[in-house]
Amino acid sequence: MTGKILVEGPVTMEIISVVLSAEDRKNETGAYSMFLGRVRADNKGGRVVKAIEYSAYESMVNHEADDIKQAILLQFDDVVSLEILHSTGVVKAGEISLLVLVTGRRRHQAQRACAMIVEMIKERFPVWKKEIYEDNSREWQQPYLA
Amino acid sequence: MEIKVLFFGVLAEVTDTMFRHYRNVESFSDLMLRIRDDYPTIAHYTYRVAVNNEIVNEEPQLRDQDEVALMPPFTGG
């Protein structure tokens, strides 16, 4: 993991391309596993989500990301590196708000590590979502229990 | 001691502030009492507390210039 975790606005295709290009130099690796989280246009009782405004506690996000990286590299010896990007600010429905990229020597550990990192982010990243609906009303999202 | 208190998510909204400094804080419980006195509405919300980026479950020993964050349940990812 090389840089900032939080990105202002959506994680664009240009940003994803830059992250992948940086990993491209690691010729000893044979697998990328990537997760992209996207803002859904959920219908909440007749109100449709048009965007989400993310807020975050940045220093703690960085702290948790370091912890997650250490735990993953300790558990998966085939994993070479990992990148996490998470949006802050407003992200429209259909845009990407989370990127997890795991680079490994082989696919199995890279895939398992990627899935585990997503769960760890949901549990441990101090980030909050406020839904913005088509009628411009706003509401804090409640945490999902499952 | 002086403690910086951060409010996140819905708590920033109900307190109408992102952060404030508390001076002459005697202990963690003293700090929490003063916060609840200043912002009684936060009693209606669930939140966890972090001290210097670490979530605390028991009463921590605060030190001068510590950063205390009040955080609603996380909804990131």
Side-chain angles (χ1 to χ4, degrees):
Chain A
M1 210 147 55
T2 50
K4 274 169 66 87
I5 305 297
L6 296 178
V7 173
E8 181 65 32
V11 179
T12 61
M13 290 303 161
E14 289 74 20
I15 294 172
I16 295 167
S17 176
V18 167
V19 171
L20 269 171
S21 300
E23 293 297 307
D24 200 32
R25 301 187 196 101
K26 296 169 182 163
N27 287 338
E28 78 278 17
T29 61
Y32 295 132
S33 186
M34 180 187 280
F35 175 84
L36 297 174
R38 204 159 82 119
V39 173
R40 285 189 310 272
D42 279 346
N43 187 323
K44 301 279 184 81
R47 290 188 303 169
V48 177
V49 174
K50 72 171 181 181
I52 288 180
E53 184 174 12
Y54 293 87
S55 54
Y57 182 10
E58 183 161 17
S59 64
M60 189 169 163
V61 165
N62 293 335
H63 177 81
E64 292 296 329
D66 284 345
D67 265 10
I68 289 170
K69 180 187 180 184
Q70 286 178 25
I72 291 295
L73 293 178
L74 198 65
Q75 183 168 345
F76 298 100
D77 55 8
D78 247 7
V79 170
V80 172
S81 65
L82 60 102
E83 291 291 333
I84 300 170
L85 295 177
H86 197 303
S87 292
T88 55
V90 175
V91 181
K92 295 176 190 166
E95 292 181 325
I96 306 294
S97 59
L98 172 64
L99 172 149
V100 176
L101 176 66
V102 177
T103 306
R105 292 182 186 86
R106 295 173 188 81
R107 69 184 183 282
H108 294 296
Q109 287 200 7
Q111 288 171 327
R112 283 171 51 209
C114 186
M116 187 177 287
I117 292 163
V118 173
E119 296 308 313
M120 292 167 98
I121 287 168
K122 286 191 167 287
E123 185 182 333
R124 294 172 52 174
F125 266 24
V127 174
W128 298 275
K129 290 176 183 168
K130 192 176 210 183
E131 292 174 336
I132 305 171
Y133 304 100
E134 294 284 5
D135 63 3
N136 288 323
S137 59
R138 294 165 183 239
E139 200 168 298
W140 290 101
Q141 189 182 84
Q142 299 302 310
Y144 292 109
L145 298 177
Chain B
M1 53 193 159
E2 181 172 327
I3 304 293
K4 183 179 184 182
V5 177
L6 306 173
F7 301 93
F8 289 101
V10 69
L11 298 179
E13 216 164 72
V14 298
T15 60
D16 199 26
T17 186
M18 295 287 290
F19 68 91
R20 68 174 283 185
H21 293 269
Y22 281 83
R23 294 182 175 82
N24 305 314
V25 174
E26 292 174 8
S27 64
F28 181 75
S29 54
D30 170 54
L31 175 68
M32 295 310 291
L33 278 174
R34 288 169 59 180
I35 294 170
R36 289 184 201 120
D37 278 349
D38 290 338
Y39 308 105
T41 49
I42 69 167
H44 303 302
Y45 296 89
T46 302
Y47 58 87
R48 288 190 284 181
V49 177
V51 178
N52 302 330
N53 298 318
E54 297 274 4
I55 289 177
V56 294
N57 296 313
E58 296 175 5
E59 180 163 328
Q61 193 79 37
L62 292 180
R63 286 177 294 191
D64 189 39
Q65 304 302 321
D66 274 352
E67 187 174 272
V68 172
L70 273 58
M71 307 181 295
F74 304 157
T75 53

